[in-house]
Amino acid sequence: MIQIATTRDIPAISKVHVDTWRSTYQGIVSDTYLEKLSYTDRERRWQKIFARSTENNSFTYVAKNAQGDVVGFANGCPERTGKTAYQGELTSIYILKAHQGRGIGRCLLQAVANKLEQLELTSMLVWVLVENPACEFYLARGGQEVCRKEIEVGGKKLVEVAYGWKDTTMLKNVDCSI
């Protein structure tokens, strides 16, 4: 089930965030950096994100399993830099490894695109580490490579790629019976 996140979901979102970073970025980001990730630190960051959500029009959706446990989440907002032709931004989307491949990512992507459309933002981009296997996910959903930039994570230089959708209506009508 996909639903808008509330502050009660912050601890679960933080746990999914840390756990997915550790599984997804192993071998990409330094082991030392991944080991230092903390649920408590991530929870503080998410509390700040939620506290600023009204002023910056950001929002978060969670995916919950049949038991009501958060197994994934996605966050979106208006594009943050103002330097691209894209109006909206998918700032994060993470699904626990054991729950990937079940359509949760498609449903979260659709939820973010729908919310952006409610904000009258009908184009979107997402930044992803080039080595992230999820790049294929965005390409399969019609995302087009927009640009690349170098970033630093844990003292290691990495490359991020932006995938964009000029018209997010193509992300609608996804079967979200998960």
Side-chain angles (χ1 to χ4, degrees):
M1 170 178 34
I2 306 297
Q3 61 189 53
I4 197 77
T6 69
T7 54
R8 289 186 308 276
D9 295 313
I10 290 174
I13 291 169
S14 303
K15 184 170 181 350
V16 169
H17 205 167
V18 169
D19 291 350
T20 55
W21 261 70
R22 288 180 176 155
S23 64
T24 302
Y25 299 125
Q26 187 175 27
I28 299 171
V29 174
S30 79
D31 290 342
T32 304
Y33 183 84
L34 294 175
E35 289 166 8
K36 288 182 179 178
L37 292 176
S38 143
Y39 299 137
T40 304
D41 289 345
R42 193 58 57 169
E43 202 170 316
R44 278 191 219 108
R45 287 184 185 190
W46 277 104
Q47 287 168 349
K48 289 178 185 175
I49 290 168
F50 273 71
R52 291 190 313 258
S53 64
T54 303
E55 68 190 54
N56 64 12
N57 282 322
S58 72
F59 52 88
T60 305
Y61 284 93
V62 290
K64 293 185 177 182
N65 64 13
Q67 293 74 38
D69 300 320
V70 173
V71 298
F73 70 89
N75 179 266
C77 64
E79 197 278 328
R80 295 176 288 179
T81 68
K83 296 178 183 177
T84 75
Y86 295 86
Q87 302 166 314
E89 187 170 351
L90 172 65
T91 58
S92 59
I93 181 169
Y94 291 102
I95 296 111
L96 292 172
K97 191 173 187 106
H99 296 273
Q100 293 176 6
R102 300 179 185 179
I104 296 170
R106 288 190 313 270
C107 295
L108 285 168
L109 186 64
Q110 177 182 305
V112 169
N114 288 344
K115 181 65 174 177
L116 287 170
E117 185 177 352
Q118 290 173 11
L119 298 171
E120 299 182 3
L121 307 172
T122 57
S123 61
M124 176 176 75
L125 60 77
V126 61
W127 286 97
V128 187
L129 290 177
V130 167
E131 295 179 63
N132 185 334
C135 290
E136 294 301 318
F137 169 81
Y138 301 113
L139 290 169
R141 294 222 149 51
Q144 301 290 314
E145 185 174 328
V146 175
C147 60
R148 292 176 180 229
K149 68 180 178 183
E150 190 175 84
I151 64 166
E152 189 174 311
V153 178
K156 184 177 179 183
K157 291 190 185 300
L158 300 166
V159 175
E160 270 189 325
V161 59
Y163 293 103
W165 293 265
K166 291 181 181 176
D167 181 2
T168 54
T169 58
M170 70 183 310
L171 299 170
K172 288 186 170 206
N173 303 319
V174 172
D175 176 17
C176 284
S177 53
I178 52 172

